[in-house]
Amino acid sequence: MCVSLRPTQTTHRGPYVQPDLEADLKLYEMETTVGEPSGRNTEKFIDDMLEGTKYLISKLLISTLMEDYNKDIIISHIKNCTTGILFLSRENCHTDIDPNPTTLFEKASDIFDAISLLIDGGDQDNLIIRYPTGTLYQSRNAPAKLSNSVLGSVKDGQFVKLPSREALWPKLGNYTTVVAQLTLLSENPHPSDGNVSGTVCSLKLNDGLTNEYIHLANLTQMIEIFMNNPQASTPTNIPVLLEYNTKAVITVNVSNSESTLFVSVEPNANVSLQLVLAAGSPPNQTHFSHTTTVSPTENYRWMITPEMLRQTPGVWYVSASLVNSTWKPGLTLNITSFTGQCLYWDTDNETWSGDGCQVGNKSTPQRIHCLCNHLTLFGGSFFVAPNYVDLSRTSELFSTVSENYVVLALLCAFFGLYLITLLWACYSDRRARSKRKMTLLEDNHPAAQYNYLIGVQTSRRKNAGTTANVTVKVMGSEGDSDTHNLVDPEKPVFQRGAFDIFLLATPFPMGEVRNLRLQHDNSGGHPSWYIDKVTVQDLQTRCVFHFFCDCWLSSDHGDNMTKKTFNAAKNNEVKSFRNIFHTRTSNGFRDEHIWVSIVDPPSRSPFTRAQRVSCCMCLLLCTMAINIAFWNIPKDENSLVLFSFGSLEVTWQELMVGIQSGLLMFPINILIITIFRSIRPRLTSTSKKGHSAENFTPPPVTVATILKDTQEVISSVSSSPRNNLSDMHRLESTTDLGLALARVHEFIHLMQGESESDPHWVYCSKFLLAALCHLLMCLEKLDERQFLSAHEYQQTVNLTNLLVCKAEMVLSSHLVYCPPPVMKTKKRAASCWLPWWCVILGWFLLLSISGISTYFTLVYGFTYGQVKSTKWVVSLGLSLFQSIFILQPLKVIGLAVFFALMLKPVAVEETEEIEQVMTEQQEKCRQYSGRHTL
């Protein structure tokens, strides 16, 4: 709650503070209004607060206020209003065009200074005011008592120590009383580009009588300032085994030329060390810039100032070697480093500056020690050097393999397991490659040119596959297909979990597919079949019809039926959340989950088992490299122990390391896996049998074969109600052949009379023309003596010739007004495929990343030593567990939920393999009709 401090007049008491909650209302308005707080309104608010507070001091209204209000409540209101505007100022979303006032913190500090004068400290000279964004410490003393005085909290580690009397007396000797105020802020109130972190403090000295600011600068002795950085991380402790007559070299990347570098090299024995500094390359006898000797007296620490670094950013090297000490086996150096910088806020230039300030030698990674010769707003910059390894010591580190074999043994075990798994994967890929092909149904009529793609998904439940012979019949709104046998002589079909694809050709489009009839003959050793679902895709119109079967076709399972008719699913069923989520998760775990997909990947995926196994190995090696690079951090004694087993403990800290390492795997995982998954498969030969003209041997021509072919043509055409052609009884003689041709003649007249063309008549004309051409070829090869008379034979040939000519005319007329639909390929889908040769790029990236990861894992392992390497294996196990059982399943489920919410069904087949199978059917039609074009 806040009160307004704007002064008003009254005829009874004179000026007083009007508690009309105006400041409260203004803060509430700024908090709830879109576009607020603006920089202009923020500045006006803080100016009003400062004016009101100064008015309160100047008129000395405390005694009057005490008659009506509690003084502590008034002071609390002022603090709340001031801290409230500081909080709101951080919500300014338009700092680029309407920035906060640069003097906001200074004015807020003036308000706190003013109200501190209203607080009656009694006999105490020290005063502490705590508020949400910081703490104010105030002391009122004679100038002589300020010598070496401490302001702040030594217990909390945040305080200021003033210099001696000799440095202060020339500046403060003329004052009777001096008020020293130290303000500590938890956040930086001014822009800093990230170079100021941790606590910010402001030190001010005021005249105790007039409250005027005392300017203090260019002191002969430094003011010591200590500020904490609660967010600072502990620097990495790198143990280095120092061999006889060698030196340890560490690398530090100095990013800020004004920073001070601290290097700590602590041995496990009481020895003296010589540290040598050099830029750009490791130091030697001629190449170095500074050197020093450290011992227990200096706590084995070296402070390297910006002057020593020549204010040059970049890579610097520090070598450590024994000096005036005796080497003993097992001598280990624990090396840490961090950088710090002391800055102050330059109110004239409105920027952070380091003039007049330097870093003190009492700095730690969690607390900066600054030495400054003036008063202002101070801040500190911290940077903890990341984990590093000295690659120049590779041969030295690898020579310790006999003493530290943990990481090497683990890598050898993983590579051995990888090679065994890779051999199995290559064998499985070779077997699966033959099962991947699409099947062109052998009982398709050669003249049929309207194509449907039938995809049959067998369930993954136990014993779901079948050995029986399966037949299918598709029923549409404009006709039905013949009953077809779903078999492939070159591969087994309908195995457990398999997705088999067949190309079915019909004489005409069947319209909207409504029903599907599946049946099997209950043959073989295991005839029972659990069918999951079937899709029927019209390759000309790209319409897809879904049939959710999810049942047994069996004589001894389910409802004991081997013949069932299924209805096509409605659009709302196909796009339902349940269907899409179930399909995406079931397919996702077999394809997207990189570890699980090794065992049973999708049968039609171009991403092979061998590639998946190699990607898993690469992912494992990257996990190990990133995990070991970020693992060696000091143990947090307060970290929660999740569970323990004997001497083994798993803490929350170790769990978080595993999570971070797992999250870093996603970019590498996605990069390589996406390449392999998106490579266009290379097309193989269409069939072992071959359908080329050279290998095609036409069957012998007899009257019986001619009658049978003619009977099939009429039966196929009559299956559509639109054709108005009734089926004929079995043709048994050449006389029946004449009657059949006469009926075909009537059907051609019917098509000629159709004034409106559509795909139905186009494909019927093409089918009939191909069939009549085939009949004419057969008649020309047939001996006329097989007819009753030569006249009958010639009459049949002439009639067939006439029908061929009329069929050509009908086809031409319908093509003019209604070109046949062709299969269209989405450009977007085609663009998702990478050329097949990109597999070389994928393998190159995989092998490169695996090799680099292996190298760094070994170097880090040898650097850590055997004991720490053994402990690291625990963290690695957690990271792998999270990747396999947490991160990967979450990715699959997340994608499934996303696509289900977006209502996007699983995409249908759109590959060049379809065009290849369609070409086979067209080639059959050319050989059947004897024509290259229809």
Side-chain angles (χ1 to χ4, degrees):
M1 176 182 177
C2 303
V3 296
S4 173
L5 296 180
R6 180 172 299 170
T8 58
Q9 297 292 330
T10 174
T11 57
H12 300 287
R13 298 185 178 178
Y16 71 103
V17 176
Q18 174 65 37
D20 57 4
L21 305 181
E22 182 179 345
D24 260 334
L25 296 176
K26 186 60 179 176
L27 280 177
Y28 179 77
E29 177 184 350
M30 295 172 68
E31 185 177 5
T32 57
T33 303
V34 177
E36 293 288 347
S38 63
R40 181 184 305 174
N41 289 337
T42 300
E43 185 171 18
K44 185 178 184 303
F45 186 92
I46 198 68
D47 287 341
D48 289 343
M49 288 294 302
L50 181 58
E51 178 186 357
T53 304
K54 288 181 177 180
Y55 181 84
L56 182 64
I57 300 297
S58 63
K59 297 301 181 180
L60 301 176
L61 298 179
I62 296 180
S63 59
T64 304
L65 291 171
M66 286 297 293
E67 297 178 6
D68 300 321
Y69 304 103
N70 185 287
K71 180 177 61 176
D72 292 337
I73 296 178
I74 297 295
I75 294 174
S76 176
H77 290 165
I78 298 175
K79 288 196 304 182
N80 290 342
C81 288
T82 306
T83 55
I85 194 61
L86 290 176
F87 275 122
L88 279 179
S89 65
R90 293 182 297 180
E91 305 297 327
N92 186 356
C93 300
H94 307 285
T95 55
D96 51 342
I97 59 177
D98 187 17
N100 291 321
T102 56
T103 58
L104 177 62
F105 168 73
E106 283 72 17
K107 291 179 180 179
S109 179
D110 290 340
I111 293 175
F112 287 122
D113 293 345
I115 63 173
S116 67
L117 300 177
L118 300 179
I119 301 176
D120 185 10
D123 296 332
Q124 299 180 1
D125 294 329
N126 296 330
L127 178 67
I128 300 177
I129 302 177
R130 302 186 187 275
Y131 49 96
T133 57
T135 305
L136 183 144
Y137 297 89
Q138 175 182 290
S139 68
R140 184 185 298 269
N141 295 290
K145 292 185 178 181
L146 291 177
S147 174
N148 295 319
S149 63
V150 174
L151 187 62
S153 175
V154 178
K155 179 181 179 181
D156 296 337
Q158 302 191 108
F159 61 93
V160 171
K161 183 178 181 181
L162 296 176
S164 65
R165 184 178 184 278
E166 288 75 12
L168 292 177
W169 190 253
K171 303 288 185 180
L172 304 179
N174 297 328
Y175 296 95
T176 304
T177 305
V178 176
V179 177
Q181 294 176 340
L182 173 66
T183 304
L184 297 174
L185 298 177
S186 57
E187 295 184 3
N188 176 20
H190 296 298
S192 64
D193 296 330
N195 60 351
V196 175
S197 57
T199 303
V200 176
C201 75
S202 173
L203 179 61
K204 296 171 61 176
L205 298 183
N206 292 336
D207 186 350
L209 299 179
T210 63
N211 200 35
E212 292 181 357
Y213 176 71
I214 300 176
H215 183 71
L216 206 63
N218 300 321
L219 297 175
T220 58
Q221 297 180 16
M222 293 292 188
I223 302 173
E224 294 189 69
I225 305 165
F226 294 87
M227 293 175 290
N228 291 340
N229 183 18
Q231 292 80 28
S233 57
T234 305
T236 303
N237 185 1
I238 302 296
V240 177
L241 182 64
L242 190 64
E243 298 292 343
Y244 177 72
N245 202 21
T246 61
K247 60 183 179 180
V249 180
I250 64 172
T251 306
V252 180
N253 185 14
V254 179
S255 58
N256 190 338
S257 61
E258 300 295 333
S259 297
T260 297
L261 173 63
F262 289 87
V263 177
S264 176
V265 184
E266 185 175 355
N268 60 351
N270 187 7
V271 295
S272 296
L273 300 172
Q274 183 183 36
L275 304 184
V276 183
L277 175 68
S281 61
N284 52 43
Q285 293 181 352
T286 59
H287 173 67
F288 68 93
S289 58
H290 291 84
T291 180
T292 188
T293 300
V294 294
S295 61
T297 307
E298 296 84 13
N299 293 323
Y300 293 104
R301 196 168 81 150
W302 190 17
M303 185 177 75
I304 305 173
T305 64
E307 290 74 22
M308 296 170 64
L309 294 172
R310 298 179 299 201
Q311 296 183 338
T312 303
V315 178
W316 287 79
Y317 293 83
V318 178
S319 67
S321 58
L322 284 177
V323 60
N324 300 327
S325 300
T326 304
W327 177 85
K328 295 181 180 180
L331 180 60
T332 303
L333 307 181
N334 293 313
I335 304 174
T336 58
S337 64
F338 70 94
T339 60
Q341 184 182 9
C342 292
L343 303 169
Y344 77 95
W345 179 250
D346 188 343
T347 56
D348 295 332
N349 298 320
E350 295 184 354
T351 184
W352 289 95
S353 173
D355 295 340
C357 291
Q358 63 187 45
V359 179
N361 59 4
K362 298 177 183 178
S363 298
T364 67
Q366 289 76 31
R367 188 179 70 170
I368 191 74
H369 175 212
C370 294
L371 304 175
C372 295
N373 62 3
H374 53 76
L375 301 182
T376 183
L377 179 65
F378 301 99
S381 173
F382 295 83
F383 175 75
V384 177
N387 224 350
Y388 64 88
V389 290
D390 186 3
L391 300 183
S392 63
R393 299 178 58 239
T394 299
S395 58
E396 176 187 345
L397 293 173
F398 274 73
S399 63
T400 63
V401 63
S402 59
E403 301 173 5
N404 181 16
Y405 52 84
V406 176
V407 176
L408 180 61
L410 183 64
L411 285 171
C412 291
F414 282 147
F415 273 106
L417 180 62
Y418 163 69
L419 292 176
I420 295 174
T421 309
L422 183 63
L423 292 175
W424 167 83
C426 292
Y427 172 75
S428 300
D429 285 337
R430 184 176 301 176
R431 292 184 56 192
R433 195 173 296 118
S434 62
K435 303 177 183 179
R436 188 180 183 275
K437 67 179 286 286
M438 293 183 181
T439 301
L440 176 65
L441 294 180
E442 291 189 340
D443 54 3
N444 282 337
H445 197 285
Q449 293 296 298
Y450 201 90
N451 300 303
Y452 291 90
L453 203 66
I454 300 179
V456 182
Q457 176 68 61
T458 302
S459 175
R460 302 198 51 77
R461 64 172 58 196
K462 185 178 180 181
N463 299 324
T466 182
T467 57
N469 298 314
V470 179
T471 60
V472 65
K473 183 174 184 178
V474 182
M475 292 163 276
S477 59
E478 298 183 7
D480 304 339
S481 72
D482 295 332
T483 300
H484 291 268
N485 295 309
L486 299 180
V487 296
D488 189 329
E490 299 178 7
K491 70 165 189 175
V493 293
F494 309 127
Q495 294 184 327
R496 175 179 174 268
F499 184 68
D500 300 289
I501 300 180
F502 306 90
L503 183 74
L504 183 147
T506 59
F508 48 81
M510 294 181 289
E512 180 184 355
V513 178
R514 295 176 176 175
N515 304 100
L516 182 81
R517 181 179 300 160
L518 289 173
Q519 181 179 0
H520 68 74
D521 58 2
N522 210 35
S523 61
H526 188 275
S528 298
W529 183 34
Y530 196 98
I531 175 68
D532 189 3
K533 63 180 179 181
V534 178
T535 59
V536 179
Q537 181 181 359
D538 188 327
L539 294 179
Q540 289 66 219
T541 64
R542 299 182 58 84
C543 293
V544 182
F545 306 92
H546 298 262
F547 297 85
F548 301 138
C549 307
D550 196 24
C551 64
W552 284 101
L553 260 66
S554 170
S555 59
D556 51 6
H557 289 84
D559 49 10
N560 302 327
M561 296 177 61
T562 59
K563 177 180 179 181
K564 286 187 178 181
T565 300
F566 303 96
N567 298 325
K570 297 180 181 179
N571 192 46
N572 60 339
E573 295 177 299
V574 176
K575 293 185 177 182
S576 66
F577 180 90
R578 177 178 179 274
N579 173 55
I580 299 176
F581 181 78
H582 175 266
T583 305
R584 290 281 177 181
T585 50
S586 59
N587 293 342
F589 275 101
R590 296 180 59 205
D591 194 17
E592 301 292 339
H593 195 298
I594 186 64
W595 300 93
V596 175
S597 64
I598 295 176
V599 180
D600 188 17
S603 58
R604 301 197 52 76
S605 174
F607 194 13
T608 65
R609 280 187 175 91
Q611 293 169 349
R612 293 173 190 268
V613 170
S614 300
C615 285
C616 285
M617 186 61 184
C618 178
L619 182 62
L620 174 62
L621 295 174
C622 290
T623 302
M624 295 174 67
I626 295 178
N627 187 288
I628 199 171
F630 286 91
W631 171 78
N632 190 26
I633 58 177
K635 184 177 181 180
D636 184 2
E637 300 297 337
N638 298 322
S639 181
L640 177 65
V641 177
L642 300 180
F643 67 89
S644 60
F645 181 77
S647 61
L648 176 64
E649 289 186 349
V650 177
T651 65
W652 175 257
Q653 183 185 28
E654 293 173 327
L655 179 64
M656 292 306 299
V657 170
I659 292 176
Q660 293 172 2
S661 302
L663 292 177
L664 287 174
M665 292 301 100
F666 277 108
I668 301 174
N669 183 1
I670 293 174
L671 174 64
I672 300 178
I673 293 175
T674 301
I675 291 177
F676 283 125
R677 183 174 282 124
S678 303
I679 291 176
R680 188 191 305 274
R682 301 183 68 178
L683 299 180
T684 57
S685 58
T686 57
S687 175
K688 294 180 181 179
K689 292 184 176 181
H691 293 286
S692 62
E694 293 79 3
N695 298 329
F696 179 72
T697 303
V701 179
T702 62
V703 173
T705 58
I706 291 177
L707 293 177
K708 179 182 178 183
D709 291 344
T710 306
Q711 174 71 45
E712 290 178 354
V713 170
I714 294 178
S715 176
S716 298
V717 174
S718 64
S719 60
S720 173
R722 292 187 61 182
N723 292 338
N724 197 22
L725 180 67
S726 59
D727 197 4
M728 294 187 65
H729 297 292
R730 179 182 176 86
L731 302 183
E732 297 180 350
S733 64
T734 56
T735 303
D736 294 336
L737 177 61
L739 295 176
L741 292 177
R743 184 166 295 184
V744 171
H745 198 175
E746 294 176 1
F747 177 62
I748 293 177
H749 282 296
L750 172 66
M751 290 192 294
Q752 283 179 322
E754 290 292 336
S755 58
E756 295 184 2
S757 297
D758 60 30
H760 176 85
W761 300 118
V762 172
Y763 280 93
C764 281
S765 302
K766 293 178 69 174
F767 174 78
L768 198 58
L769 176 60
L772 291 173
C773 289
H774 175 73
L775 177 60
L776 183 60
M777 284 174 42
C778 293
L779 288 175
E780 291 174 350
K781 295 178 181 179
L782 187 66
D783 188 355
E784 63 180 16
R785 289 176 295 181
Q786 297 191 31
F787 277 72
L788 296 179
S789 64
H791 175 71
E792 183 186 20
Y793 169 76
Q794 192 61 43
Q795 186 178 12
T796 303
V797 171
N798 293 339
L799 179 58
T800 305
N801 238 325
L802 176 64
L803 295 179
V804 169
C805 294
K806 288 190 174 184
E808 284 182 321
M809 295 174 57
V810 171
L811 176 60
S812 300
S813 63
H814 283 295
L815 283 175
V816 170
Y817 297 102
C818 180
V822 294
M823 177 182 163
K824 300 178 182 179
T825 303
K826 287 185 178 179
K827 293 183 179 180
R828 183 177 301 176
S831 64
C832 294
W833 290 103
L834 297 175
W836 67 265
W837 49 264
C838 283
V839 69
I840 301 174
L841 174 62
W843 280 109
F844 173 76
L845 291 176
L846 187 146
L847 295 176
S848 301
I849 296 176
S850 299
I852 294 172
S853 300
T854 302
Y855 170 74
F856 277 100
T857 302
L858 286 172
V859 172
Y860 273 109
F862 292 143
T863 302
Y864 288 163
Q866 182 176 354
V867 176
K868 289 191 175 182
S869 296
T870 305
K871 294 181 179 179
W872 164 72
V873 174
V874 177
S875 178
L876 174 66
L878 287 173
S879 183
L880 293 178
F881 176 85
Q882 293 157 6
S883 177
I884 299 174
F885 298 103
I886 299 177
L887 296 180
Q888 290 286 341
L890 286 178
K891 181 185 74 171
V892 172
I893 296 174
L895 289 175
V897 172
F898 171 77
F899 283 107
L901 293 176
M902 296 295 291
L903 300 180
K904 289 186 177 182
V906 178
V908 294
E909 290 287 332
E910 293 180 11
T911 65
E912 291 182 351
E913 211 172 347
I914 299 176
E915 298 179 9
Q916 187 181 52
V917 180
M918 291 175 62
T919 302
E920 290 184 45
Q921 177 65 20
Q922 293 172 359
E923 182 62 26
K924 286 177 61 177
C925 182
R926 294 188 188 101
Q927 297 172 2
Y928 176 76
S929 63
R931 290 195 172 201
H932 293 288
T933 58
L934 286 177

